[in-house]
Amino acid sequence: MPVKRVLPYAVCLLALSGIAACGSAAEPTPAHNATATVVRSLAITVTGTTVTPAPAQVDLGIGEALELTVTIDHDDELHAHGFGDLEEQLKAGVPTTVRLVGTETGVFEVETHEPALTLLTVAVR
């Protein structure tokens, strides 16, 4: 097809793609999205003020998920910054599983409140 005939089609396609891009923004993906690919599972145990394994940084890509299971010896609350500020009640001796999905880049802490303990940091890239 000659360039003169293709050019109007190309301009039309660019214009339509620009209109589609200006449409309403998609809803942000929740931190606990069940459809994200789980790339890593991690089990953490808290006894008193001891976190096992020791707090470390976990790398996570955008759209990837970390499935985190926490078992603690007292009632507490888990707080995950950067993941919709997810808060989950922890019951003594009962494993609690949360799914953290990387939706924005940054380094975020996952912690308990009573006592204030860092369980891990998650680097979303």
Side-chain angles (χ1 to χ4, degrees):
M1 196 180 264
V3 173
K4 289 182 181 181
R5 284 187 163 174
V6 173
L7 189 57
Y9 294 109
V11 170
C12 184
L13 283 173
L14 285 173
L16 288 174
S17 66
I19 291 170
C22 293
S24 63
E27 290 290 319
T29 305
H32 53 279
N33 184 341
T35 62
T37 302
V38 175
V39 295
R40 184 158 183 195
S41 295
L42 181 62
I44 295 178
T45 301
V46 179
T47 306
T49 59
T50 303
V51 178
T52 306
Q57 181 170 296
V58 174
D59 293 326
L60 200 60
I62 295 289
E64 295 177 339
L66 168 66
E67 193 170 85
L68 181 64
T69 302
V70 179
T71 306
I72 194 164
D73 66 349
H74 60 279
D75 290 353
D76 204 333
E77 185 175 70
L78 175 122
H79 186 194
H81 296 272
F83 297 93
D85 280 333
L86 173 74
E87 292 186 350
E88 188 74 31
Q89 293 300 312
L90 301 172
K91 296 292 181 190
V94 179
T96 301
T97 301
V98 295
R99 184 175 290 210
L100 305 177
V101 178
T103 59
E104 61 181 86
T105 59
V107 179
F108 308 104
E109 286 188 339
V110 179
E111 63 191 11
T112 62
H113 286 172
E114 298 296 328
L117 299 173
T118 298
L119 303 182
L120 72 149
T121 57
V122 181
V124 181
R125 304 185 199 290

